[in-house]
Amino acid sequence: MQNQINIPIILDAVRKVGDIFLKDYKQNVIPQNMNDLLKQLENIDTLCLTSLKQDLSLEFPNIPWHIGDEFDTDSQRNPTQQECYWLCDAMDGAIQYLQHIAGWTINLALIHDEKPVFSVIFDPLANEIFWAEDGQGAFMNGKLLQNSRKTDLAVMLAVFEYGHQDKSYNDLNNKIGASVTKLLQNFGIVRNYGPHGLQLAYVGAGRIDLFVQEDLDTYNWIAGLLIAKEAGAEILTTDGNPWKWGSESLLVAPKSITEKYLQIKVQK
């Protein structure tokens, strides 16, 4: 499968649609009710998917498409039952885009045999395009990525995230709160930024030292996971087990930092 990937064509297609959104950035009326919000989100999905399909269908005519609906918890527990397909997060951080603030990207992953084999994340505002191919490394604007080599928690940047999973019945809010408290008590800098995939790409680039999330968010993670992994990061659950599709938590950092976090987590 990897030998059939025409990387420049994919990067150009993702960059093209990102630049379209960049041209229209801050031109929308900020939605003031749920109907307007849902309509604008639908328009983003339609524009993004139409553009990508048009540009990639000639090179990859037999690969089907799947939109990653982050609100659909059940579908995120199992990969689509297809050997190979495109998984498109039309805009990671679409709420930021509609609110006229930074922190939105175009994410695309090629899934083969239930794992990502190629992924790309484009940040139009920064003009940075991250991509990775399974077993071939991770890159940003053509430069090979390398993750953090820090050893002192006091100078590390840790980020926490949360998704749209129902938290009313499984004590997830308390679990997330306890996780954030551990971060605040032990890491020098703690942030919540917004676009999940981009934050994982930043782990790959050494800009973020550790990423933690205590609930299910497969579609938001998947493109960034390959980039972080190919740059050398460990991809685990917050219990320290290897992450797999459908895992209900995520811990991503270089091995030396995941070890520190897991030690901290069990401390009283």
Side-chain angles (χ1 to χ4, degrees):
M1 183 67 232
Q2 288 94 322
N3 294 333
Q4 301 174 18
I5 297 174
N6 189 325
I7 293 173
I9 284 182
I10 301 171
L11 299 186
D12 286 347
V14 174
R15 183 181 287 276
K16 174 184 172 182
V17 72
D19 287 340
I20 291 172
F21 282 114
L22 181 61
K23 182 179 179 180
D24 291 336
Y25 181 44
K26 298 185 179 181
Q27 300 306 303
N28 65 291
V29 176
I30 295 176
Q32 302 296 311
N33 57 62
M34 185 58 71
N35 286 337
D36 288 345
L37 173 62
L38 294 177
K39 179 60 177 176
Q40 291 195 43
L41 289 174
E42 181 182 355
N43 290 342
I44 287 173
D45 285 350
T46 300
L47 190 159
C48 188
L49 194 60
T50 299
S51 179
L52 289 173
K53 281 184 174 180
Q54 178 179 328
D55 289 340
L56 294 177
S57 60
L58 290 178
E59 182 69 21
F60 307 97
N62 299 317
I63 299 180
W65 289 78
H66 181 70
I67 284 285
D69 182 359
E70 63 200 74
F71 294 92
D72 187 349
T73 299
D74 290 338
S75 71
Q76 297 196 73
R77 290 196 168 95
N78 296 286
T80 300
Q81 295 303 302
Q82 294 170 306
E83 180 183 9
C84 184
Y85 59 96
W86 294 109
L87 180 60
C88 178
D89 187 354
M91 185 180 287
D92 189 10
I95 296 299
Q96 289 93 291
Y97 182 85
L98 295 178
Q99 291 293 130
H100 299 181
I101 58 179
W104 50 275
T105 62
I106 309 301
N107 296 4
L108 181 65
L110 182 60
I111 310 300
H112 185 68
D113 288 339
E114 302 186 355
K115 70 174 186 177
V117 295
F118 183 86
S119 69
V120 55
I121 295 174
F122 179 43
D123 178 357
L125 283 172
N127 192 28
E128 292 181 337
I129 191 161
F130 298 83
W131 61 272
E133 185 177 3
D134 188 32
Q136 302 299 316
F139 303 85
M140 188 275 290
N141 291 358
K143 181 179 179 181
L144 185 68
L145 295 182
Q146 183 179 44
N147 49 43
S148 175
R149 290 169 288 179
K150 295 177 186 175
T151 59
D152 184 358
L153 295 179
V155 296
M156 290 186 192
L157 169 59
V159 300
F160 68 93
E161 270 302 339
Y162 52 89
H164 299 286
Q165 184 176 354
D166 183 3
K167 302 174 178 62
S168 63
Y169 66 93
N170 50 16
D171 203 36
L172 261 178
N173 282 330
N174 288 333
K175 192 173 184 179
I176 293 168
S179 173
V180 174
T181 298
K182 288 286 188 181
L183 294 177
L184 291 169
Q185 290 172 340
N186 291 278
F187 285 80
I189 309 160
V190 179
R191 295 288 186 270
N192 169 257
Y193 180 49
H196 300 56
L198 184 61
Q199 291 178 93
L200 293 168
Y202 282 177
V203 173
R207 298 175 180 177
I208 289 174
D209 300 294
L210 177 132
F211 177 101
V212 177
Q213 187 166 342
E214 289 288 359
D215 55 355
L216 179 71
D217 222 350
T218 312
Y219 292 147
N220 273 332
W221 294 334
I222 202 70
L225 284 180
L226 183 61
I227 294 169
K229 179 179 79 71
E230 286 297 316
E234 278 200 313
I235 312 298
L236 305 174
T237 69
T238 57
D239 294 324
N241 298 313
W243 183 89
K244 61 182 181 179
W245 197 299
S247 292
E248 301 273 344
S249 66
L250 182 63
L251 171 64
V252 179
K255 180 178 176 60
S256 61
I257 300 177
T258 60
E259 289 174 346
K260 290 178 184 291
Y261 177 80
L262 292 169
Q263 290 170 1
I264 288 166
K265 185 179 178 183
V266 298
Q267 293 173 359
K268 298 296 184 180

